[in-house]
Amino acid sequence: MKKSLVIALAAAGAVLIAAGGGAWWWHSRQAPAPADGSAAPAPRHDVEYRYVTLDKTIVMLRPDTGGNHYLALDLVFKTPVKKERETKDHLPLLRTIVVKAMSAHTMESANKLGIEDFTREINDAFRKSYAAEQAEPPFDEALIAKLIIE
């Protein structure tokens, strides 16, 4: 009788551990809420996406020490297939928004940021710019393909 009770308790413990691990894994896959407190957009699984590139965006950093420093970025825009042409048409505007947002950095401040920080800052700049124009961006997200700080 005692042996079967120990086996049952061990099995129940294993099930609880597996359920906890599954819940942790599922929660870690969910997109974090934006820092501004607004609700994160729901992921769209029924949309086919294309990726539009914006290569070689060079930004001069604000001087903080001797010498000139710059930041070079290659971006990729995750865009629904129906809006691919519109995203390509907006590339000059998107480059301008990136240059404006990133030129506020010094070499020191840029070196302190990680890729996630740059990505968040760039996407926030796009959201604010399109909101100011009362327009919706033709892409869902901007991703950093390459980042060089010199």
Side-chain angles (χ1 to χ4, degrees), residues 6-7 14-15 17 19 29 46 49 54 57 68 85 93 96 101-102 104 107 117 124 127 135:
V6 170
I7 292 172
V15 168
I17 290 171
R29 290 185 47 211
D46 60 336
Y49 290 99
L54 176 62
T57 301
N68 294 326
R85 177 82 256 147
L93 169 66
T96 302
M102 295 293 104
M107 179 71 161
D117 300 318
D124 287 347
R127 276 191 286 280

Side-chain angles (χ1 to χ4, degrees), residues 87-107:
T87 300
K88 287 180 180 179
D89 291 343
H90 285 218
L91 289 178
L93 169 66
L94 299 173
R95 184 184 307 272
T96 302
I97 294 168
V98 170
V99 169
K100 183 178 178 184
M102 295 293 104
S103 65
H105 286 286
T106 62
M107 179 71 161

Side-chain angles (χ1 to χ4, degrees):
M1 185 74 168
K2 288 184 179 185
K3 188 175 184 179
S4 63
L5 181 61
V6 170
I7 292 172
L9 287 175
V15 168
L16 286 173
I17 290 171
W24 172 81
W25 175 80
W26 179 258
H27 180 70
S28 68
R29 290 185 47 211
Q30 304 303 311
D36 65 359
S38 64
R44 299 178 350 195
H45 300 290
D46 60 336
V47 177
E48 182 181 348
Y49 290 99
R50 294 277 167 80
Y51 295 89
V52 177
T53 61
L54 176 62
D55 292 333
K56 298 177 183 79
T57 301
I58 309 294
V59 180
M60 291 300 294
L61 298 173
R62 284 191 5 225
D64 61 346
T65 61
N68 294 326
H69 298 285
Y70 68 91
L71 183 135
L73 286 164
D74 288 354
L75 297 177
V76 178
F77 296 93
K78 181 180 176 184
T79 184
V81 171
K82 292 186 279 184
K83 294 190 175 190
E84 181 180 9
R85 177 82 256 147
E86 185 180 356
T87 300
K88 287 180 180 179
D89 291 343
H90 285 218
L91 289 178
L93 169 66
L94 299 173
R95 184 184 307 272
T96 302
I97 294 168
V98 170
V99 169
K100 183 178 178 184
M102 295 293 104
S103 65
H105 286 286
T106 62
M107 179 71 161
E108 183 181 343
S109 69
N111 279 327
K112 290 180 181 177
L113 298 177
I115 292 291
E116 296 84 14
D117 300 318
F118 279 111
T119 303
R120 188 178 320 106
E121 190 173 325
I122 288 169
N123 279 298
D124 287 347
F126 290 141
R127 276 191 286 280
K128 287 176 186 174
S129 178
Y130 277 93
E133 297 295 323
Q134 298 178 349
E136 188 170 325
F139 56 91
D140 284 2
E141 180 181 18
L143 309 165
I144 296 177
K146 186 189 317 183
L147 172 66
I148 300 171
I149 302 172
E150 282 291 322

